């Protein structure tokens, strides 16, 4: 299976492609300077970046085999984004809160 089997709209694909393009470009721009590559990627040593890429390939293969993008209908998904969770922490209510009697 190729990554092209995964829909372009699938968020995992978007994130991994963006990360890989950035890291590859950092390597192409600095082929003789691994310290610069490490600084730009900010994810460990070059050897660790290789291990991370290998791990990502395993995850990618698993997602392609299971076709996980088919399990979540994108159009029905709502995301409640709170950029400052501390802001509403005092007003939070939870189902089954043991403090409520």
């Amino acid at each position: 299976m190729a990554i092209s089997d995964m829909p372009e709209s699938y968020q995992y694909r978007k994130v991994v492609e963006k990360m890989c393009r950035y890291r590859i470009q950092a390597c192409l721009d600095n082929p003789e300077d691994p310290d610069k590559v490490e600084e730009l990627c900010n994810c460990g040593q070059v050897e660790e970046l290789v291990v991370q890429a290998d791990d990502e390939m395993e995850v990618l293969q698993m997602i392609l085999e299971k076709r996980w993008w088919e399990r979540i209908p994108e159009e029905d998904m709502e995301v409640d984004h709170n950029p400052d969770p501390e802001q509403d922490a005092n007003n939070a209510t939870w189902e089954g809160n043991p403090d409520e009697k």
Side-chain angles (χ1 to χ4, degrees):
M1 271 188 190
I3 194 165
S4 60
D5 292 337
M6 190 181 295
E8 291 182 18
S9 61
Y10 190 52
Q11 190 63 33
Y12 174 79
R13 177 180 174 163
K14 291 179 189 179
V15 170
V16 170
E17 282 183 347
K18 185 175 181 178
M19 177 185 63
C20 290
R21 284 190 185 110
Y22 180 84
R23 290 180 176 184
I24 289 168
Q25 192 61 51
C27 293
L28 292 172
D29 292 347
N30 303 284
E32 301 299 323
D33 191 355
D35 291 333
K36 185 66 176 177
V37 172
E38 292 167 0
E39 177 187 333
L40 290 169
C41 293
N42 196 28
C43 287
Q45 296 177 333
V46 170
E47 295 82 359
E48 293 172 302
L49 294 173
V50 172
V51 170
Q52 290 171 20
D54 287 340
D55 291 345
E56 204 63 64
M57 289 300 294
E58 288 183 34
V59 173
L60 176 62
Q61 188 61 36
M62 182 177 55
I63 289 173
L64 287 167
E65 287 174 7
K66 302 291 185 183
R67 301 184 68 83
W68 285 353
W69 62 87
E70 294 176 349
R71 298 177 183 218
I72 302 172
E74 292 181 40
E75 63 277 352
D76 295 339
M77 189 181 289
E78 264 186 55
V79 177
D80 185 18
H81 176 68
N82 182 359
D84 184 9
E86 294 293 322
Q87 181 181 6
D88 296 324
N90 295 330
N91 298 326
T93 58
W94 305 94
E95 290 181 27
N97 186 344
D99 295 332
E100 291 178 5
K101 293 185 179 184

